[in-house]
Amino acid sequence: MKPVAPTLQSKNVGFAFLTAVICLGSINLAHADSGCKYIKLATLPVDMHDMVPAVQGSVNNNPAAMLIDSGTSSTLLTQVEKMRLGLNSDAPTTSPAAARKHGKSTSDEMTTLNELAIGPVELGATHVLTSPSLTDHADYGSVVGADFLFQHDMELSLRDKQINFFKPDHCDGKTLAYWDSNAVTVPLDAISATDHRQMVTVEINGQKLHALIDTGTPISVMHLSAAARLGITPQSSGVTKIVPKNASASSANNAWLAPFAQFTIGDETIKNVKIPITNLRDASNTAASTPDMLLGADFLNAHRMLFAVSQHQLYFSYLGGSVFGADIAPSVAQK
């Protein structure tokens, strides 16, 4: 039986389904005798499309692939899907739920759906945002954003092709990384009370940077201004311009591959890494709203991660393989 949620009535797309889904069981933790239960609420089976996770769902009972994008603040119906289904917009919105991607606000509209299902989770009739500028996801019917993903604790295991949602019961101060007693832990915080995209602090060449965890970005990337604070510019020694296949150097986007001596997150350190640098800011957002770095699907695919939003902690374990496209395994400090 699929987990089923009540119909949503809110115009603010407040996906409150996970408080009412059928419990799929609880995870056995080493400290279960303390009364802590980690209750599994739902599982989304995930496929990888061009290094980006996606889940199968439906819009108005029409099958649709849905992009899993933790770097977008709000769940969206793509413009292509809206046109394909012949849907009309309700009205423009300037609500706090307006979609943001890497600090960029878009001019969004509300669209009423008779049915929306994200993986096995059925939302029923609801209202979703549609962005007129969202035209670059023609293969997807919806973009599943942070408002959906981070209602409860979320485990992301791209190697296992699944996303699990959990609700802790009496687990304050308890370690929730049930798969690895030596998992690395770092503080995790949402951007704001209305923007649930998740940020962590990393260190590159010994300097702290704020990184946004973004499943919708295939390759991790650093903002040009953050690289400049580290003394790295496009003109620095060892920096090379990135030219995509079938593109000339003059027509390529302004992105460069830059070497860094060391990347650290928590107790995990990777030496001699190469990370793309580019401008993550445009005229529609401020410097304060632009992250220093995006941790993309390349980094996430090399780790098993638990976003314990209930504790404001990120638990993760290195699984092996490339990180940032470099064939260098990280070293993890022994606890």
Side-chain angles (χ1 to χ4, degrees):
M1 180 181 296
K2 292 182 179 180
V4 179
T7 299
L8 297 181
Q9 301 296 334
S10 170
K11 285 281 186 179
N12 290 326
V13 199
F15 295 113
F17 73 96
L18 286 181
T19 60
V21 297
I22 297 172
C23 173
L24 300 182
S26 60
I27 296 296
N28 293 323
L29 300 174
H31 39 258
D33 56 355
S34 67
C36 170
K37 294 182 179 180
Y38 210 35
I39 302 167
K40 183 181 287 188
L41 299 174
T43 296
L44 298 184
V46 171
D47 292 317
M48 298 300 291
H49 295 274
D50 296 325
M51 291 186 66
V52 174
V55 63
Q56 291 297 315
S58 63
V59 178
N60 283 0
N61 297 306
N62 290 274
M66 299 182 173
L67 180 71
I68 300 296
D69 189 355
S70 63
T72 294
S73 59
S74 300
T75 296
L76 295 163
L77 185 71
T78 64
Q79 189 73 3
V80 170
E81 187 72 2
K82 176 184 171 183
M83 295 175 63
R84 185 174 73 87
L85 297 177
L87 300 174
N88 295 317
S89 299
D90 298 341
T93 179
T94 57
S95 75
R100 293 176 175 83
K101 178 72 174 178
H102 312 154
K104 178 181 178 181
S105 256
T106 61
S107 176
D108 299 308
E109 301 169 335
M110 299 300 297
T111 300
T112 299
L113 300 179
N114 296 325
E115 179 267 352
L116 177 65
I118 300 175
V121 181
E122 298 175 353
L123 299 176
T126 189
H127 307 278
V128 296
L129 291 166
T130 303
S131 174
S133 63
L134 190 65
T135 58
D136 56 345
H137 295 304
D139 294 335
Y140 303 101
S142 175
V143 176
V144 182
D147 58 344
F148 180 95
L149 298 172
F150 298 120
Q151 296 175 79
H152 289 285
D153 295 1
M154 182 185 78
E155 180 191 3
L156 181 65
S157 183
L158 297 184
R159 291 279 181 93
D160 295 330
K161 296 185 177 180
Q162 65 179 17
I163 295 174
N164 295 311
F165 295 98
F166 294 96
K167 180 180 179 181
D169 183 13
H170 294 91
C171 295
D172 291 348
K174 305 298 183 183
T175 299
L176 299 177
Y178 62 90
W179 71 91
D180 181 2
S181 60
N182 294 314
V184 179
T185 309
V186 296
L188 178 75
D189 289 297
I191 289 180
S192 71
T194 57
D195 188 342
H196 300 292
R197 291 177 296 163
Q198 301 295 309
M199 302 280 290
V200 294
T201 298
V202 303
E203 288 190 13
I204 297 184
N205 291 358
Q207 183 164 325
K208 291 183 179 180
L209 301 178
H210 298 294
L212 176 70
I213 302 176
D214 187 0
T215 60
T217 293
I219 302 297
S220 300
V221 63
M222 186 185 301
H223 190 27
L224 276 174
S225 65
R229 297 202 305 271
L230 301 176
I232 301 294
T233 71
Q235 292 74 41
S236 296
S237 175
V239 176
T240 57
K241 188 165 186 178
I242 297 174
V243 181
K245 292 181 179 179
N246 304 319
S248 64
S250 60
S251 65
N253 292 329
N254 290 324
W256 297 263
L257 191 63
F260 297 93
Q262 182 170 297
F263 170 92
T264 298
I265 177 171
D267 292 331
E268 181 177 292
T269 295
I270 312 172
K271 295 183 180 296
N272 301 318
V273 298
K274 290 187 176 181
I275 301 173
I277 59 174
T278 191
N279 184 19
L280 296 178
R281 181 185 173 193
D282 62 25
S284 68
N285 62 76
T286 65
S289 66
T290 304
D292 295 323
M293 183 177 184
L294 306 178
L295 290 179
D298 55 347
F299 181 86
L300 302 177
N301 190 60
H303 297 84
R304 185 169 181 171
M305 312 192 77
L306 175 62
F307 299 81
V309 293
S310 61
Q311 296 181 340
H312 300 285
Q313 295 288 322
L314 176 69
Y315 297 89
F316 61 96
S317 301
Y318 175 64
L319 300 177
S322 299
V323 180
F324 305 136
D327 295 323
I328 301 174
S331 61
V332 179
Q334 295 299 315
K335 297 182 178 179

